[in-house]
């Protein structure tokens, strides 16, 4: 038996996670399906986490939140979140803040993958990689995680990387 919203006699569903990607060249799931799924969760009162790494997927995730929430989350609604938010320029920071969305990000990725980011992420986007200070200055709630097993679960590398933006190879993300 399945139950919702904390029924002690069944399995509780407390939210959903939607993974957005564009590895095939187009957004998956498409924006229409994303909005539909996000709307279904909203109608059930479930918080939604949307996995969004690239600027384009993060923008689409925020489009879906805006389609359902309007201009922002109301106090009685669950707290929704973005997972990763890896490439987040200022215009997206402002949208996240306006919607009251939490960002669950991985500062350890800067330590473990920072040199790879500098080699693979377009230079124009590099200043917007994991912009923790921008999120915090904008009043966005930020949660740090490791995303283990992609990196070790210890916060020992993530905390200094969040502050110094230095990779294990000594490279500094701008």
């Amino acid at each position: 038996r399945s139950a919702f919203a904390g029924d002690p006699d069944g399995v509780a569903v407390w939210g959903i996670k939607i993974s957005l990607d564009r590895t095939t060249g187009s957004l998956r799931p498409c924006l229409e399906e994303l909005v539909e799924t996000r709307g279904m969760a909203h109608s059930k009162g479930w918080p939604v986490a949307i996995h969004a790494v690239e600027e384009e997927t993060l923008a689409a995730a925020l489009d879906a939140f805006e389609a359902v929430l309007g201009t922002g989350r109301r106090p009685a609604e669950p707290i929704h979140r973005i997972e990763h938010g890896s490439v987040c320029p200022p215009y997206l920071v402002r949208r996240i803040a306006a919607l009251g969305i939490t960002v669950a990000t991985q500062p350890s990725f800067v330590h473990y993958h920072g040199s790879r980011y500098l080699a693979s992420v377009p230079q124009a986007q590099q200043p917007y990689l994991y912009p923790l200070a921008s999120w915090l200055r904008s009043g966005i709630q930020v949660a740090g995680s490791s995303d283990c097993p992609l990196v070790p679960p210890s916060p020992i590398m993530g905390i200094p990387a969040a502050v110094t933006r230095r990779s294990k190879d000594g490279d500094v993300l701008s």
Side-chain angles (χ1 to χ4, degrees), residues 21-48:
D21 90 22
R22 59 176 186 87
T23 55
T24 62
S26 60
L27 188 66
R28 290 182 57 199
C30 68
L31 187 56
E32 181 180 283
E33 184 181 346
L34 180 61
V35 169
E36 180 182 327
T37 302
R38 174 67 195 89
M40 179 277 305
H42 181 77
S43 72
K44 304 280 188 196
W46 300 340
V48 174

CSV table of all heavy atoms in Angstrom, one decimal, residues 21-48:
chain,number,residue,atom,x,y,z
A,21,ASP,N,18.5,16.8,-18.4
A,21,ASP,CA,19.8,16.8,-19.1
A,21,ASP,C,19.6,17.2,-20.5
A,21,ASP,O,18.5,17.2,-21.0
A,21,ASP,CB,20.6,15.5,-18.9
A,21,ASP,CG,20.3,14.4,-19.9
A,21,ASP,OD1,19.8,14.6,-21.0
A,21,ASP,OD2,20.5,13.2,-19.5
A,22,ARG,N,20.7,17.5,-21.2
A,22,ARG,CA,20.7,17.8,-22.6
A,22,ARG,C,21.8,17.1,-23.3
A,22,ARG,O,22.2,17.6,-24.4
A,22,ARG,CB,20.8,19.3,-22.8
A,22,ARG,CG,22.0,19.9,-22.2
A,22,ARG,CD,22.1,21.4,-22.5
A,22,ARG,NE,23.4,21.9,-22.1
A,22,ARG,CZ,24.5,21.9,-22.8
A,22,ARG,NH1,24.5,21.4,-24.0
A,22,ARG,NH2,25.6,22.4,-22.3
A,23,THR,N,22.2,15.9,-22.8
A,23,THR,CA,23.2,15.2,-23.5
A,23,THR,C,22.9,14.7,-24.9
A,23,THR,O,23.8,14.4,-25.7
A,23,THR,CB,23.7,14.0,-22.6
A,23,THR,OG1,22.5,13.1,-22.4
A,23,THR,CG2,24.3,14.4,-21.3
A,24,THR,N,21.6,14.6,-25.2
A,24,THR,CA,21.2,14.2,-26.5
A,24,THR,C,21.1,15.4,-27.5
A,24,THR,O,20.7,15.2,-28.6
A,24,THR,CB,19.8,13.4,-26.5
A,24,THR,OG1,18.9,14.3,-26.0
A,24,THR,CG2,19.9,12.2,-25.6
A,25,GLY,N,21.3,16.6,-27.0
A,25,GLY,CA,21.2,17.8,-27.8
A,25,GLY,C,19.9,18.5,-27.5
A,25,GLY,O,19.8,19.7,-27.9
A,26,SER,N,19.0,17.9,-26.9
A,26,SER,CA,17.7,18.6,-26.5
A,26,SER,C,17.4,18.3,-25.1
A,26,SER,O,17.9,17.3,-24.5
A,26,SER,CB,16.6,18.1,-27.4
A,26,SER,OG,16.4,16.8,-27.3
A,27,LEU,N,16.6,19.1,-24.5
A,27,LEU,CA,16.2,19.0,-23.1
A,27,LEU,C,15.4,17.8,-22.9
A,27,LEU,O,14.4,17.5,-23.6
A,27,LEU,CB,15.4,20.3,-22.7
A,27,LEU,CG,15.1,20.4,-21.2
A,27,LEU,CD1,16.4,20.6,-20.4
A,27,LEU,CD2,14.2,21.6,-21.0
A,28,ARG,N,15.8,17.0,-21.9
A,28,ARG,CA,15.0,15.8,-21.5
A,28,ARG,C,14.9,15.8,-20.0
A,28,ARG,O,15.9,15.9,-19.3
A,28,ARG,CB,15.8,14.5,-21.9
A,28,ARG,CG,15.8,14.3,-23.4
A,28,ARG,CD,16.5,13.1,-23.8
A,28,ARG,NE,15.8,12.0,-23.2
A,28,ARG,CZ,16.4,10.8,-23.1
A,28,ARG,NH1,17.6,10.6,-23.6
A,28,ARG,NH2,15.8,9.8,-22.5
A,29,PRO,N,13.6,15.7,-19.4
A,29,PRO,CA,12.4,15.7,-20.2
A,29,PRO,C,12.2,17.1,-20.8
A,29,PRO,O,12.7,18.1,-20.3
A,29,PRO,CB,11.3,15.4,-19.2
A,29,PRO,CG,11.9,15.8,-17.9
A,29,PRO,CD,13.4,15.7,-18.0
A,30,CYS,N,11.3,17.1,-21.8
A,30,CYS,CA,11.0,18.4,-22.5
A,30,CYS,C,10.3,19.3,-21.5
A,30,CYS,O,9.8,18.9,-20.5
A,30,CYS,CB,10.2,18.2,-23.7
A,30,CYS,SG,8.5,17.7,-23.4
A,31,LEU,N,10.3,20.6,-21.8
A,31,LEU,CA,9.7,21.6,-20.9
A,31,LEU,C,8.3,21.3,-20.5
A,31,LEU,O,7.8,21.4,-19.4
A,31,LEU,CB,9.9,23.0,-21.4
A,31,LEU,CG,9.5,24.1,-20.5
A,31,LEU,CD1,10.2,24.1,-19.1
A,31,LEU,CD2,9.7,25.5,-21.1
A,32,GLU,N,7.5,20.9,-21.5
A,32,GLU,CA,6.1,20.6,-21.3
A,32,GLU,C,5.9,19.5,-20.3
A,32,GLU,O,5.1,19.6,-19.4
A,32,GLU,CB,5.4,20.2,-22.6
A,32,GLU,CG,3.9,19.9,-22.5
A,32,GLU,CD,3.3,19.5,-23.9
A,32,GLU,OE1,3.1,20.4,-24.7
A,32,GLU,OE2,3.1,18.3,-24.1
A,33,GLU,N,6.7,18.4,-20.4
A,33,GLU,CA,6.6,17.3,-19.5
A,33,GLU,C,7.1,17.7,-18.1
A,33,GLU,O,6.6,17.3,-17.1
A,33,GLU,CB,7.4,16.1,-20.0
A,33,GLU,CG,7.4,14.9,-19.2
A,33,GLU,CD,8.2,13.7,-19.7
A,33,GLU,OE1,8.6,13.7,-20.9
A,33,GLU,OE2,8.4,12.7,-18.9
A,34,LEU,N,8.2,18.5,-18.1
A,34,LEU,CA,8.7,19.0,-16.8
A,34,LEU,C,7.7,19.8,-16.1
A,34,LEU,O,7.5,19.6,-14.9
A,34,LEU,CB,10.0,19.8,-17.1
A,34,LEU,CG,10.7,20.4,-15.9
A,34,LEU,CD1,11.2,19.4,-15.0
A,34,LEU,CD2,11.8,21.3,-16.4
A,35,VAL,N,7.0,20.7,-16.8
A,35,VAL,CA,6.0,21.5,-16.1
A,35,VAL,C,4.8,20.6,-15.6
A,35,VAL,O,4.3,20.8,-14.5
A,35,VAL,CB,5.5,22.6,-17.1
A,35,VAL,CG1,4.2,23.3,-16.5
A,35,VAL,CG2,6.6,23.6,-17.3
A,36,GLU,N,4.4,19.7,-16.5
A,36,GLU,CA,3.3,18.7,-16.1
A,36,GLU,C,3.7,18.0,-14.8
A,36,GLU,O,2.9,17.9,-13.9
A,36,GLU,CB,3.0,17.8,-17.2
A,36,GLU,CG,1.9,16.8,-16.9
A,36,GLU,CD,1.7,15.8,-18.1
A,36,GLU,OE1,1.9,16.2,-19.3
A,36,GLU,OE2,1.3,14.7,-17.8
A,37,THR,N,4.9,17.4,-14.8
A,37,THR,CA,5.3,16.6,-13.6
A,37,THR,C,5.4,17.5,-12.4
A,37,THR,O,5.0,17.2,-11.3
A,37,THR,CB,6.7,16.0,-13.9
A,37,THR,OG1,6.5,15.1,-15.0
A,37,THR,CG2,7.1,15.1,-12.7
A,38,ARG,N,6.0,18.7,-12.6
A,38,ARG,CA,6.1,19.7,-11.5
A,38,ARG,C,4.8,20.1,-11.0
A,38,ARG,O,4.5,20.2,-9.8
A,38,ARG,CB,6.9,20.9,-12.0
A,38,ARG,CG,7.1,22.1,-11.1
A,38,ARG,CD,7.9,21.8,-9.9
A,38,ARG,NE,7.7,22.8,-8.9
A,38,ARG,CZ,6.8,22.8,-8.0
A,38,ARG,NH1,6.0,21.8,-7.9
A,38,ARG,NH2,6.7,23.8,-7.1
A,39,GLY,N,3.8,20.3,-11.9
A,39,GLY,CA,2.5,20.7,-11.5
A,39,GLY,C,1.8,19.6,-10.7
A,39,GLY,O,1.1,19.8,-9.7
A,40,MET,N,2.0,18.3,-11.1
A,40,MET,CA,1.4,17.2,-10.4
A,40,MET,C,1.9,17.1,-8.9
A,40,MET,O,1.2,17.0,-8.0
A,40,MET,CB,1.7,15.8,-11.1
A,40,MET,CG,1.2,14.6,-10.4
A,40,MET,SD,2.2,13.9,-9.1
A,40,MET,CE,3.7,13.6,-9.9
A,41,ALA,N,3.2,17.3,-8.8
A,41,ALA,CA,3.8,17.3,-7.5
A,41,ALA,C,3.3,18.4,-6.6
A,41,ALA,O,3.0,18.3,-5.5
A,41,ALA,CB,5.3,17.3,-7.6
A,42,HIS,N,3.2,19.6,-7.3
A,42,HIS,CA,2.6,20.8,-6.6
A,42,HIS,C,1.2,20.5,-6.1
A,42,HIS,O,0.9,20.8,-4.9
A,42,HIS,CB,2.7,22.0,-7.5
A,42,HIS,CG,2.2,23.2,-6.9
A,42,HIS,ND1,2.9,24.0,-6.0
A,42,HIS,CD2,1.0,23.9,-7.0
A,42,HIS,CE1,2.2,25.0,-5.6
A,42,HIS,NE2,1.1,25.0,-6.2
A,43,SER,N,0.4,19.8,-6.9
A,43,SER,CA,-1.0,19.6,-6.5
A,43,SER,C,-1.1,18.6,-5.3
A,43,SER,O,-2.0,18.6,-4.6
A,43,SER,CB,-1.8,19.0,-7.7
A,43,SER,OG,-1.4,17.7,-8.0
A,44,LYS,N,0.0,17.8,-5.1
A,44,LYS,CA,0.0,16.9,-4.0
A,44,LYS,C,0.7,17.5,-2.8
A,44,LYS,O,0.8,16.9,-1.7
A,44,LYS,CB,0.8,15.6,-4.4
A,44,LYS,CG,0.3,14.9,-5.6
A,44,LYS,CD,-0.9,14.0,-5.2
A,44,LYS,CE,-1.3,13.2,-6.4
A,44,LYS,NZ,-2.6,12.6,-6.3
A,45,GLY,N,1.3,18.7,-2.9
A,45,GLY,CA,2.0,19.3,-1.8
A,45,GLY,C,3.4,18.8,-1.6
A,45,GLY,O,4.0,19.0,-0.5
A,46,TRP,N,4.0,18.2,-2.6
A,46,TRP,CA,5.3,17.6,-2.5
A,46,TRP,C,6.4,18.6,-2.9
A,46,TRP,O,6.2,19.3,-3.9
A,46,TRP,CB,5.5,16.4,-3.4
A,46,TRP,CG,4.6,15.3,-3.2
A,46,TRP,CD1,3.8,15.0,-2.0
A,46,TRP,CD2,4.3,14.2,-4.1
A,46,TRP,NE1,3.1,13.8,-2.2
A,46,TRP,CE2,3.4,13.3,-3.5
A,46,TRP,CE3,4.7,13.9,-5.4
A,46,TRP,CZ2,2.9,12.2,-4.1
A,46,TRP,CZ3,4.2,12.8,-6.0
A,46,TRP,CH2,3.3,11.9,-5.3
A,47,PRO,N,7.5,18.6,-2.1
A,47,PRO,CA,8.6,19.4,-2.6
A,47,PRO,C,9.2,18.7,-3.8
A,47,PRO,O,9.2,17.5,-4.0
A,47,PRO,CB,9.6,19.4,-1.4
A,47,PRO,CG,9.2,18.2,-0.6
A,47,PRO,CD,7.7,18.0,-0.9
A,48,VAL,N,9.8,19.5,-4.7
A,48,VAL,CA,10.5,19.0,-5.9
A,48,VAL,C,11.9,19.5,-5.9
A,48,VAL,O,12.2,20.6,-5.6
A,48,VAL,CB,9.7,19.5,-7.1
A,48,VAL,CG1,10.5,19.1,-8.4
A,48,VAL,CG2,8.3,19.0,-7.2
